[in-house]
Amino acid sequence: MKRHLFLTCMAVMGTAITAMAAYPVLFWDMEPIQSLEGGAALTLHHPDMGEVVFVHDAPWEGNASCYHTVLQDGDRYLMYYRGSAYQMPNCNHPSVTCCAESRDGVHWTRPNLGICEFNGSKDNNIILMDDEATHNFAPWLDTNPACPPEQRFKALGGLSKGLFLYVSADGFHWSKLQEEAVITKGAFDSLNTLIYDGARQCYVAYSRAYYKAEDEVWVRGIQRNTSPDGLHWPDDATPLDFGADAPVVELYTNGIHPYLNNPNVLIGIPKRFCRDRAANNDKHGKNGLPGTSDAAFMSSRDGIHFNRWDEALIRPGLQHERWITRNNMSAQGTVLTSGNQNGTPPVVTIYTTEAYLTDGPVRVRRHTIRLDGFVSVQAPYSGGSFTTRPIEVAADDPAAQPEGEVMLLLNASTSALGEIRCEVRDEQNSPIPGYTLADSLSLFGDELDLAMKWKDSADLKPLLGRKVILHFEMKDADIYSLRFGQPRQFTPSTKESDDAAQTEVCRQVVFDGGEYRVISAANFDPKSGKVALTFGGAGNSHIYSNVDDPSAADFRRKLFAKGYAIIIPFLGGDSWGREAASEGALRDLEHLEKVEGYTVPPRIPVFGFSMGGLDVLMFAARHPERVSKVAEFFGAIDLEDFSKRGFPVIRKLYPDEEMMKKSNPFNHISTLAQFPIRIYHGDKDPLVPMSYSTRLESALKEQGANVQLIVVPNVVHTSAILIPTADDLVQFLTE
């Protein structure tokens, strides 16, 4: 992998690196490394893609919600973001700034803060509105020891008038520290960030600026400003230095913040932007707003010189909507969350956005990577070695003699056949007796604190205060970081057992003529015949369905416990009950059975949400021989009437009145009446009239149908309706 690496402050000054128990030496660049030999190389690692943890489906949010900042304040996690919508049906409002809360970084809620009024109510999580800063409000916890308690939260925000400084004591109630902008030169249509640099005792702001490339094209870049107090900012912005050989790339955001396991090192997870590309499914990109994005990784030890990797940290991936313009934006900040498997240590969590500028709400997805795991020195099975620069062996408190052994602890991973050996040398590069390569025991395993051992001892206490050079011989292994001290006691994950019955798996199937997903428990039996077909909102337009929503987790778990799998067709968007959607789903079922080898009964349960609810009704009407029962949420849509309520796309799809009538479920009552049908509707739904559901229930009852309408109180047009209805839906689908 190509990366742009150069030595920064400490190496240039010739001073030794200090390895303390609190802050590890990170092998993310060449600064702590004197040489790499054999097959050893610095290697970028990629986070695991996790679950969707938040959906911006509140009325004050929408499909342009973005610019997230995530931070941890004691035992609570806070997520700040812009609530916004762009050309989204029935969702048009000015931008607002919101805050969500979590106790674990995975399950997020909107606190009813009662601060700002939206549509006549203060029952929302809005913290700022009617302010230019709502476009890109970016909070951070001030780590300056001299910071007044009432200002411990600080934030930058603003656009054409410059960046303004805001302060807060609790993270919810904010005020401007002064009426004038603190930084006025820059192009601030980005997430501009603020940190306190404890080593240099100053505040640092990273913001967008435009720079002229060699071809005279202006590109988005990052500038750095400093201030002694956070309020007075000299006009001395400087561009970040990525090295002379670094290619010019556009950085839409900067994502720069102190690394949580060593705040002396800054990391950035900027959104890289390719302004001229547009995916085939990107209607905005094809109509004047192009741009594909991914997440990059960079790190710095002085805040000015950054080692930036050319390869993406997080690619857009297989999800179609992550290729749409301006998606894959990483939140500002990383946090530590519980391990992904039972008994594993905590992981670093990154959050990214998807579904931006689609017809549905933006979603926030969680990605995880091991602690210190962004970059490692990696050696293949054939072997490799590396030698460090002088490292001072230091205790956290130099004045106190540490109790117990002082061990060399590696955050490292080997294969079952791999190994690591280490030699400790003095400053003249001579092996220290007792710590030679011949004395080193072979180390293997995968831990955050693997203790290096030699024949006589693992204790390096005799070397405290000395500067040593470490030489590692490796085979099929990674070393991410090291420190001196004693192993830490991490709180292991207490997730439910990750046996096959609890683990969810997702298979994406693409074939000539179709695309679909199968979600199930890992121990699902494809020959069981227990499959259910679902159609999602917005016509499963981006191979995302409402059952992917965090609020559907309990429903999925309970349905999988009954031995079922969920089939999710990719319908391409704007299905609106069209025959093509029904025929596509039928092809997917046939492929699942004939090619993938699943047992698919002649009749299966089908369920859907919103536009997908309309689709399941029409699938049942067109193919009654394939359906056993129907459940729909907000899907009883009278197309002929609904097309007059602000959805001109329906008229475009159905220019012929007869075509529209054929796709209107109210014209197929006699066919639908043969199935058991469950209708769910939230009584606060602002989008699909409740009258449609009551009409459908009445019409079906007149035909003698087994139908029931369940009105869910205090629920808007949202996937969260699955929370109170999960038990009923599972019982209905599986009984």
Side-chain angles (χ1 to χ4, degrees):
M1 285 187 175
K2 188 178 180 183
R3 62 271 182 194
H4 299 281
L5 307 167
F6 47 89
L7 303 182
T8 56
C9 53
M10 285 191 285
V12 172
M13 293 167 59
T15 59
I17 299 166
T18 300
M20 300 174 64
Y23 298 150
V25 174
L26 301 165
F27 293 113
W28 292 357
D29 54 34
M30 287 300 293
E31 177 156 331
I33 300 171
Q34 186 178 139
S35 64
L36 292 163
E37 299 166 349
L42 286 174
T43 303
L44 179 70
H45 298 275
H46 305 281
D48 295 324
M49 178 178 280
E51 67 272 53
V52 171
V53 297
F54 200 72
V55 180
H56 289 299
D57 56 1
W60 50 89
E61 297 168 356
N63 68 344
S65 299
C66 68
Y67 287 150
H68 297 73
T69 295
V70 178
L71 54 86
Q72 187 170 1
D73 178 30
D75 62 351
R76 66 172 180 164
Y77 298 79
L78 299 173
M79 179 191 291
Y80 297 90
Y81 58 91
R82 181 182 80 195
S84 181
Y86 178 75
Q87 295 183 1
M88 188 177 180
N90 288 345
C91 188
N92 184 24
H93 56 79
S95 295
V96 296
T97 300
C98 309
C99 183
E101 277 188 313
S102 174
R103 293 298 172 184
D104 59 7
V106 179
H107 304 89
W108 294 85
T109 59
R110 297 177 180 85
N112 279 331
L113 299 176
I115 297 173
C116 298
E117 183 174 310
F118 182 88
N119 287 351
S121 173
K122 289 187 176 182
D123 290 339
N124 57 61
N125 63 326
I126 301 172
I127 60 171
L128 190 68
M129 62 191 314
D130 300 324
D131 190 310
E132 188 180 80
T134 58
H135 180 82
N136 54 1
F137 196 74
W140 200 252
L141 272 170
D142 192 342
T143 56
N144 184 352
C147 174
E150 64 273 15
Q151 297 181 12
R152 68 189 191 96
F153 287 87
K154 286 186 171 66
L156 288 179
L159 284 171
S160 59
K161 299 177 182 178
L163 293 177
F164 294 84
L165 183 64
Y166 296 75
V167 296
S168 172
D170 61 1
F172 295 144
H173 300 82
W174 293 83
S175 60
K176 282 183 182 176
L177 198 55
Q178 66 178 29
E179 288 302 315
E180 297 79 22
V182 293
I183 301 175
T184 57
K185 292 187 177 180
F188 303 122
D189 183 16
S190 178
L191 189 62
N192 310 287
T193 59
L194 172 68
I195 64 171
Y196 179 73
D197 186 338
R200 293 158 190 81
Q201 298 185 349
C202 66
Y203 290 90
V204 183
Y206 294 95
S207 58
R208 176 185 287 176
Y210 278 86
Y211 300 105
K212 188 176 291 187
E214 292 181 359
D215 56 1
E216 299 299 309
V217 174
W218 291 89
V219 298
R220 297 168 178 85
I222 303 169
Q223 66 179 8
R224 177 181 185 267
N225 293 75
T226 60
S227 166
D229 57 8
L231 191 59
H232 302 91
W233 296 80
D235 184 15
D236 60 353
T238 57
L240 299 191
D241 188 346
F242 297 111
D245 63 339
V248 175
V249 296
E250 291 209 63
L251 300 176
Y252 203 93
T253 59
N254 67 77
I256 297 172
H257 58 281
Y259 176 55
L260 54 82
N261 202 34
N262 186 343
N264 295 322
V265 175
L266 298 182
I267 67 171
I269 307 179
K271 183 173 82 168
R272 298 192 305 183
F273 187 63
C274 187
R275 67 166 72 181
D276 298 322
R277 290 184 174 180
N280 290 332
N281 64 317
D282 186 355
K283 65 180 181 181
H284 294 292
K286 296 294 186 181
N287 289 283
L289 194 63
T292 56
S293 309
D294 58 25
F297 179 74
M298 59 190 191
S299 61
S300 174
R301 299 176 190 263
D302 65 0
I304 302 171
H305 304 87
F306 278 81
N307 299 309
R308 191 188 74 215
W309 289 76
D310 291 347
E311 292 75 23
L313 178 71
I314 302 175
R315 293 179 178 180
L318 289 170
Q319 288 175 273
H320 291 215
E321 61 206 347
R322 294 183 75 97
W323 286 97
I324 290 176
T325 185
R326 290 161 171 77
N327 274 277
N328 307 302
M329 185 184 294
S330 297
Q332 165 71 4
T334 50
V335 293
L336 210 58
T337 61
S338 182
N340 293 332
Q341 291 82 38
N342 192 35
T344 56
V347 291
V348 177
T349 289
I350 305 161
Y351 303 89
T352 66
T353 56
E354 58 191 51
Y356 187 80
L357 295 190
T358 65
D359 291 333
V362 169
R363 303 186 300 275
V364 179
R365 188 174 292 276
R366 176 175 173 254
H367 308 253
T368 58
I369 196 167
R370 73 184 292 147
L371 192 67
D372 303 345
F374 290 101
V375 179
S376 73
V377 178
Q378 184 179 89
Y381 184 77
S382 58
S385 64
F386 75 99
T387 305
T388 71
R389 298 182 184 278
I391 299 175
E392 181 181 353
V393 183
D396 284 339
D397 184 358
Q401 184 74 0
E403 297 181 1
E405 295 180 320
V406 175
M407 301 178 179
L408 172 56
L409 300 167
L410 305 182
N411 183 342
S413 171
T414 75
S415 69
L417 300 182
E419 67 172 1
I420 300 170
R421 295 190 299 142
C422 177
E423 180 170 86
V424 184
R425 303 171 179 175
D426 61 23
E427 287 188 85
Q428 286 70 46
N429 212 30
S430 298
I432 297 176
Y435 301 101
T436 67
L437 204 60
D439 294 320
S440 177
L441 301 181
S442 176
L443 182 69
F444 60 89
D446 195 335
E447 301 283 349
L448 300 185
D449 280 337
L450 274 174
M452 204 71 231
K453 296 181 180 179
W454 293 264
K455 290 179 181 178
D456 296 329
S457 175
D459 192 4
L460 296 178
K461 190 181 294 183
L463 304 180
L464 270 176
R466 291 182 59 178
K467 297 172 184 177
V468 299
I469 294 172
L470 302 174
H471 176 75
F472 292 97
E473 299 280 345
M474 307 164 60
K475 184 170 74 171
D476 200 5
D478 290 272
I479 299 178
Y480 303 91
S481 63
L482 67 79
R483 64 185 189 88
F484 295 111
Q486 293 184 341
R488 294 161 288 186
Q489 299 298 316
F490 291 102
T491 302
S493 173
T494 56
K495 290 180 180 292
E496 293 181 353
S497 172
D498 60 341
D499 60 21
Q502 294 290 343
T503 303
E504 293 183 12
V505 295
C506 175
R507 294 185 59 236
Q508 184 167 346
V509 181
V510 180
F511 65 99
D512 186 15
E515 183 175 355
Y516 61 92
R517 286 188 300 149
V518 183
I519 304 178
S520 68
N523 64 347
F524 171 73
D525 178 7
K527 299 297 185 182
S528 68
K530 294 183 177 181
V531 294
L533 179 70
T534 188
F535 293 73
N540 285 6
S541 56
H542 308 294
I543 207 157
Y544 166 83
S545 177
N546 302 72
V547 296
D548 292 302
D549 193 89
S551 59
D554 187 52
F555 162 71
R556 294 195 307 270
R557 180 178 60 82
K558 291 175 177 177
L559 187 65
F560 295 161
K562 296 282 189 178
Y564 274 76
I566 303 173
I567 316 303
I568 308 172
F570 171 48
L571 305 181
D574 287 336
S575 50
W576 290 108
R578 289 189 294 168
E579 186 173 4
S582 298
E583 299 310 307
L586 193 63
R587 286 194 300 271
D588 294 344
L589 291 175
E590 291 173 352
H591 184 273
L592 183 68
E593 183 172 27
K594 295 179 180 179
V595 179
E596 299 296 321
Y598 283 60
T599 297
V600 181
R603 294 174 180 264
I604 62 173
V606 296
F607 64 104
F609 304 81
S610 190
M611 190 190 302
L614 169 63
D615 289 327
V616 297
L617 290 170
M618 290 312 305
F619 181 83
R622 294 187 179 107
H623 299 287
E625 75 283 357
R626 297 309 310 266
V627 175
S628 61
K629 56 187 66 176
V630 179
E632 59 90 353
F633 294 78
F634 319 109
I637 298 174
D638 183 338
L639 273 181
E640 293 156 79
D641 180 70
F642 204 56
S643 64
K644 305 171 185 176
R645 293 175 176 258
F647 286 88
V649 66
I650 298 177
R651 289 288 174 183
K652 291 181 181 179
L653 293 173
Y654 294 103
D656 186 292
E657 289 288 339
E658 289 303 314
M659 290 173 59
M660 185 183 298
K661 289 180 180 179
K662 289 180 179 179
S663 294
N664 190 336
F666 286 88
N667 297 324
H668 298 272
I669 297 298
S670 59
T671 302
L672 295 174
Q674 64 182 285
F675 310 112
I677 293 185
R678 193 76 101 235
I679 304 169
Y680 301 91
H681 210 131
D683 67 352
K684 303 295 184 183
D685 182 1
L687 191 61
V688 178
M690 175 68 73
S691 60
Y692 288 173
S693 290
T694 56
R695 279 179 51 207
L696 181 64
E697 182 191 38
S698 298
L700 289 170
K701 282 186 174 180
E702 289 179 5
Q703 295 288 323
N706 176 10
V707 59
Q708 181 181 0
L709 167 62
I710 296 178
V711 178
V712 185
N714 301 313
V715 172
V716 295
H717 197 88
T718 171
S719 302
I721 195 172
L722 274 169
I723 296 175
T725 60
D727 288 329
D728 184 80
L729 179 59
V730 170
Q731 182 179 357
F732 174 75
L733 294 175
T734 62
E735 66 184 1

